[in-house]
Amino acid sequence: MANLKEIRNRISSVSSTMQITSAMKMVSAAKLKKAQDAITAMRPYSNKLTELLQSLSATLDADSGSKYSVQREINNVLIVAITSNRGLCGAFNSNIIKQTNALIEDVYSDKKVSVLAIGKKANDAFAKQDRVIANKSEVFDNLTFDNVAEIAEMLMEKFVEGDFDKIEIVYNSFKNAATQIVMTEQFLPIVPVEGNANVNLDYIYEPTKQEIVETLIPKSLKTQLFKGIRDSFASEHGARMTAMHKATDNATELRDQLKLTYNKARQAAITNEILEIVGGAEALNN
């Protein structure tokens, strides 16, 4: 059994760790509320914009399609992996890295796959594989639509120029504080709507239908990427809050066990001292 000094040191260490994890949990809980409100308010707009764009695109002739919907033979693929800049958030980052590796090794095993990292954890993981074409981790320092729009414009430009034939986004979608769902979304080319049965053709377009689509497509793509990053940002705080909550509970349980061990060791030491005193007294009497 460890001596009393070692146990006291461990109790002190665990108590300090517990204070840190508890503080991190409260910080993440405060940040989560703001991030959750932001993504909850944005989702209906993003989903409706995408639905409108797909409905309009479905009514255009094939010859008048957008340059962002061109279907080419897939040789070069770009995966936008969205992680966080920091750890201590459970399996949040490892799930994205695992899903991206699954796409690279299984889905696109015979293609040339590159990665655009949004988040230091993604950059650290895929830089070792020499796949990272750019690291945009600084976007989390000031997460605004304009900053994300610059990244989206770069992706659109690379697709139009033919650098990549397909671009996909991998991110954590926020469900609640304890649950994040790994999502893989096709960014480019634009996914065509399935069937035209629900497309309303009674609209009057001003200006022309094609001009509207050409204007909406860049905005829709920027919004899609912004939603993905916002989703990931909220998921990160939810995952960190949950991880720190569990860490605090585990530290509390460990501290209680150590205190019990300490008390037992202390009682045993006192008992031994009493026995030695009694034994010494008996020896003197005899």
Side-chain angles (χ1 to χ4, degrees):
M1 183 179 291
N3 61 47
L4 295 178
K5 183 178 180 181
E6 290 176 350
I7 298 175
R8 281 199 303 268
N9 290 339
R10 288 193 64 191
I11 291 174
S12 176
S13 176
V14 171
S15 297
S16 298
T17 302
M18 186 176 65
Q19 291 177 348
I20 294 171
T21 57
S22 180
M24 292 182 67
K25 171 190 169 184
M26 289 187 289
V27 170
S28 292
K31 292 181 177 180
L32 173 63
K33 182 63 171 65
K34 183 178 180 181
Q36 181 179 353
D37 291 343
I39 188 58
T40 302
M42 183 181 179
R43 274 177 181 164
Y45 170 78
S46 176
N47 293 338
K48 192 63 181 178
L49 181 60
T50 301
E51 177 187 337
L52 176 62
L53 178 64
Q54 290 181 338
S55 297
L56 288 173
S57 299
T59 64
L60 291 175
D61 297 331
D63 295 337
S64 59
S66 167
K67 57 187 177 181
Y68 301 115
S69 59
V70 176
Q71 302 287 335
R72 297 191 290 259
E73 181 182 355
I74 300 176
N75 294 313
N76 297 310
V77 179
L78 177 64
I79 300 175
V80 181
I82 305 175
T83 62
S84 66
N85 286 338
R86 297 182 298 145
L88 297 177
C89 46
F92 174 84
N93 292 314
S94 61
N95 286 340
I96 297 299
I97 294 170
K98 187 185 299 182
Q99 175 65 13
T100 304
N101 278 324
L103 291 174
I104 294 172
E105 296 171 3
D106 300 333
V107 181
Y108 303 117
S109 57
D110 58 339
K111 316 295 182 185
K112 181 182 178 181
V113 183
S114 302
V115 174
L116 186 142
I118 300 180
K120 291 181 180 178
K121 296 300 180 180
N123 182 67
D124 293 344
F126 296 106
K128 298 175 182 177
Q129 302 178 17
D130 196 26
R131 294 185 182 275
V132 178
I133 63 165
N135 178 18
K136 298 295 182 180
S137 304
E138 70 279 359
V139 72
F140 289 113
D141 297 334
N142 185 20
L143 186 52
T144 63
F145 181 82
D146 290 339
N147 289 337
V148 175
E150 293 179 3
I151 302 175
E153 288 172 356
M154 181 191 73
L155 294 175
M156 288 185 280
E157 181 180 346
K158 287 185 176 297
F159 177 79
V160 172
E161 291 177 351
D163 293 345
F164 299 102
D165 305 309
K166 188 175 184 180
I167 300 177
E168 292 201 294
I169 307 173
V170 180
Y171 67 97
N172 279 294
S173 177
F174 178 82
K175 183 176 182 181
N176 54 52
T179 306
Q180 299 82 39
I181 303 171
V182 177
M183 301 289 292
T184 302
E185 290 183 358
Q186 183 168 318
F187 186 70
L188 286 169
I190 295 172
V191 180
V193 67
E194 296 181 0
N196 299 338
N198 297 324
V199 177
N200 190 339
L201 303 178
D202 295 333
Y203 292 127
I204 298 176
Y205 300 98
E206 182 63 36
T208 65
K209 187 188 305 182
Q210 184 173 351
E211 289 178 291
I212 294 175
V213 171
E214 291 291 343
T215 303
L216 280 179
I217 284 177
K219 185 173 184 179
S220 175
L221 292 172
K222 293 173 185 176
T223 303
Q224 180 184 357
L225 183 60
F226 187 53
K227 179 182 74 71
I229 295 177
R230 273 285 187 192
D231 244 330
S232 181
F233 189 64
S235 298
E236 175 192 350
H237 291 304
R240 181 170 290 110
M241 186 186 76
T242 302
M244 292 301 99
H245 175 74
K246 291 179 180 178
T248 302
D249 289 346
N250 292 336
T252 302
E253 182 180 350
L254 180 57
R255 183 194 60 180
D256 293 342
Q257 291 176 351
L258 287 171
K259 283 184 176 180
L260 182 61
T261 302
Y262 176 80
N263 290 332
K264 287 181 178 179
R266 186 167 174 269
Q267 289 173 355
I270 293 172
T271 302
N272 288 334
E273 290 177 2
I274 293 174
L275 290 175
E276 289 175 0
I277 293 172
V278 173
E282 288 294 330
L284 290 175
N285 291 334
N286 293 331

